[in-house]
Amino acid sequence: MKNSLKDQLKNTLNHTPLSKDKLFTAAQHLVPQQRLSEVAGRFAASRHPLVKKAFVRTFAKAYGITLDEYERKSFNAYESFNDFFTRELTEEARPIDATEHGIVSPADGSISQIGQIEQDKLLQAKGTYYTAGHLLADNDDGNYFADGSFATVYLAPSNYHRVHMPFTGRLVKTRYVPGSLFSVNNTTAAGVPDLFARNERLVCLFETEFGMASVVMVGAMIVAGIETVATGKLQRTDSVQTQEHDMTLNKGDELGRFYLGSTAIVLLPKAAGTKWQAGLDHNTIVQMGQLLGTTNAK
């Protein structure tokens, strides 16, 4: 049985250390998350010149976004806010690290957490864990990643919002999991238990040289959609939706994109023997294609 709203709010307040953070996190239980995202999505998709201009210019100014690294150099070149938000980089902007058996960052952003999966548990924030089975919405898949490795990359609103392959692999399955749309920033990660396993998400499963691996694209507050090269833009449903695939993607290839900010989580099996690069820690800034670690694949 689901906890009542009162119980959820009490749990949130008990888990968040600062009063302003408690209020921010608790307020997210009260807002109509899905409805808010739907409304934001309609405005973000609008091609009306005045709507587009207002959204794009205001957002770019608020977050200090310039177009130096991007293919289209003029704000007027984008057909909608969504088109601007998922803007493409120039080909040379993000070289893909060529280290043999290397794992690269799937996105621009910051490391939320990185390390080993302790039995089946992933670190969400200091003292807070969630299980791989819950995240993947499948206990057997979760058990497969027991004692493996993971990296969680948070994409801030100002970041490049396409997600790329951290390794070469054959996409064999996607699993859309409906859920909440809490913010995924550090404040909410510290205050909402099982955050990444509660939010809407798309689980992507791959066959690789070191066994099965996964990239999970996690939705967030006001995220108007998730899209991948295999599925197209996902339609929200009330039930888990699974698709079979047979698509090989090379390291650095585009996997998908978010319409507004979110998080990408990479899961690697114990057999990969992943060694993360020294110096990667909570809040470390990373770029897509940057070397995060290496595996012992042969």
Side-chain angles (χ1 to χ4, degrees), residues 35-236:
R35 180 61 177 162
L36 185 61
S37 292
E38 290 171 6
V39 171
R42 285 200 293 270
F43 278 105
S46 173
R47 299 191 177 195
H48 190 286
L50 295 180
V51 174
K52 177 192 74 169
K53 183 177 180 179
F55 268 68
V56 170
R57 297 280 182 175
T58 301
F59 189 87
K61 183 177 181 180
Y63 288 99
I65 296 171
T66 64
L67 298 176
D68 298 343
E69 295 182 311
Y70 294 92
E71 194 67 35
R72 288 174 279 177
K73 305 295 186 184
S74 169
F75 292 115
N76 294 327
Y78 298 91
E79 297 180 352
S80 66
F81 180 77
N82 276 342
D83 188 32
F84 167 71
F85 196 80
T86 58
R87 58 198 178 274
E88 66 274 28
L89 290 162
T90 59
E91 192 170 322
E92 66 275 8
R94 296 289 183 276
I96 307 303
D97 185 273
T99 300
E100 189 175 14
H101 308 311
I103 303 296
V104 302
S105 176
D108 282 9
S110 60
I111 297 292
S112 176
Q113 300 293 339
I114 190 168
Q116 304 305 117
I117 299 172
E118 303 294 339
Q119 295 182 337
D120 65 340
K121 293 180 174 61
L122 289 76
L123 180 64
Q124 176 176 301
K126 186 176 181 180
T128 303
Y129 294 82
Y130 61 101
T131 67
H134 194 180
L135 175 68
L136 302 176
D138 186 288
N139 287 332
D140 288 339
D141 287 345
N143 290 336
Y144 177 81
F145 289 100
D147 299 317
S149 304
F150 79 100
T152 304
V153 179
Y154 165 67
L155 290 72
S158 60
N159 288 133
Y160 168 65
H161 264 76
R162 300 192 185 193
V163 176
H164 293 247
M165 289 292 292
F167 42 72
T168 293
R170 184 170 74 91
L171 178 65
V172 295
K173 184 182 294 185
T174 56
R175 181 182 298 124
Y176 167 78
V177 186
S180 302
L181 289 171
F182 288 102
S183 169
V184 288
N185 62 18
N186 289 332
T187 297
T188 313
V192 176
D194 296 329
L195 172 64
F196 302 123
R198 292 173 65 171
N199 270 15
E200 176 186 60
R201 57 202 179 276
L202 182 71
V203 176
C204 302
L205 293 166
F206 301 89
E207 290 181 352
T208 75
E209 61 183 353
F210 45 79
M212 293 295 295
S214 181
V215 177
V216 183
M217 298 175 64
V218 184
M221 183 72 73
I222 316 183
V223 166
I226 298 172
E227 178 177 336
T228 74
V229 295
T231 63
K233 191 170 182 180
L234 297 170
Q235 299 299 313
R236 287 194 167 114

Side-chain angles (χ1 to χ4, degrees), residues 274-296:
T274 307
K275 294 183 179 179
W276 298 118
Q277 291 286 94
L280 295 177
D281 205 348
H282 176 62
N283 282 338
T284 301
I285 301 299
V286 294
Q287 289 189 326
M288 188 277 289
Q290 174 183 335
L291 183 66
L292 297 184
T294 56
T295 71
N296 61 7

